[in-house]
Amino acid sequence: MPTNSLEQRHAWMREAIRLSQESVDTGGGPFGAVIVQGDQIVGRGQNRVTTANDPTAHAEIVAIRQACESLGTFTLAGCEIFTSCEPCPMCLGAILWARLDCVWYANTREDAANIGFDDSTFYDEMTRPLNNRQLPMSPLLRDEAQSAFKTWQQSENKTRY
């Protein structure tokens, strides 16, 4: 569990909230995030979905990309994320892949839904069996694709992540 003081955690969350407000002021969505390692902010992000025409440019994703670049690593173990809103499924997935130690959030997913950012469809879709999903999903050329998996599995020079 984090060792930083409550006062310091509040300061970092206020920075995430400030970034969310700044995002709105510059035409983006109302989301901001910071990633902290020790006592330093190593990544900042604002929602850039509409300003960058990138549906993956959520504040958490932008902050993860910046933190990884500034630290020169693909794993953020030893870091915490402070985000102005509970992460959506995509961002939660990225947070888990990045191996962040802790998530602090301000607004809830229900708060987000109340202003038009409702992620319930995504949560619902992930729990449905593949053949019952709204988005059709069908396997194709699995046998051919297995060759890359086998090469990876046999490689002695791979970097696990």
Side-chain angles (χ1 to χ4, degrees):
M1 197 61 184
T3 58
N4 296 301
S5 72
L6 182 61
E7 183 179 320
Q8 185 61 67
R9 289 193 303 266
H10 284 185
W12 288 322
M13 183 58 77
R14 286 188 177 105
E15 175 63 4
I17 293 167
R18 184 192 71 75
L19 289 167
S20 72
Q21 183 62 56
E22 184 178 276
S23 180
V24 172
D25 295 343
T26 58
F31 305 99
V34 297
I35 295 177
V36 174
Q37 182 183 57
D39 61 356
Q40 299 289 318
I41 293 176
V42 295
R44 286 180 169 81
Q46 295 173 305
N47 182 281
R48 295 185 180 152
V49 170
T50 58
T51 59
N53 294 320
D54 180 353
T56 69
H58 289 201
E60 297 91 337
I61 303 287
V62 173
I64 287 169
R65 289 173 181 162
Q66 189 181 94
C68 287
E69 178 145 345
S70 72
L71 295 174
T73 182
F74 60 84
T75 178
L76 297 176
C79 298
E80 302 172 39
I81 188 166
F82 293 78
T83 180
S84 65
C85 188
E86 181 180 352
C88 75
M90 177 182 70
C91 292
L92 180 57
I95 288 165
L96 292 169
W97 274 110
R99 310 292 196 265
L100 284 150
D101 290 358
C102 185
V103 177
W104 300 94
Y105 65 91
N107 293 309
T108 66
R109 67 172 121 166
E110 291 82 12
D111 297 329
N114 288 336
I115 64 164
F117 294 93
D118 189 352
D119 295 328
S120 61
T121 299
F122 302 107
Y123 286 104
D124 294 344
E125 189 76 357
M126 290 186 307
T127 61
R128 289 187 182 107
L130 288 177
N131 60 347
N132 290 339
R133 291 192 177 171
Q134 292 177 9
L135 179 65
M137 296 180 70
S138 301
L140 188 62
L141 297 178
R142 179 175 179 258
D143 289 343
E144 290 182 33
Q146 286 290 303
S147 65
F149 277 23
K150 288 175 184 169
T151 302
W152 165 262
Q153 187 176 27
Q154 295 167 358
S155 174
E156 294 181 17
N157 299 321
K158 62 186 165 220
T159 301
R160 294 194 179 273
Y161 57 96

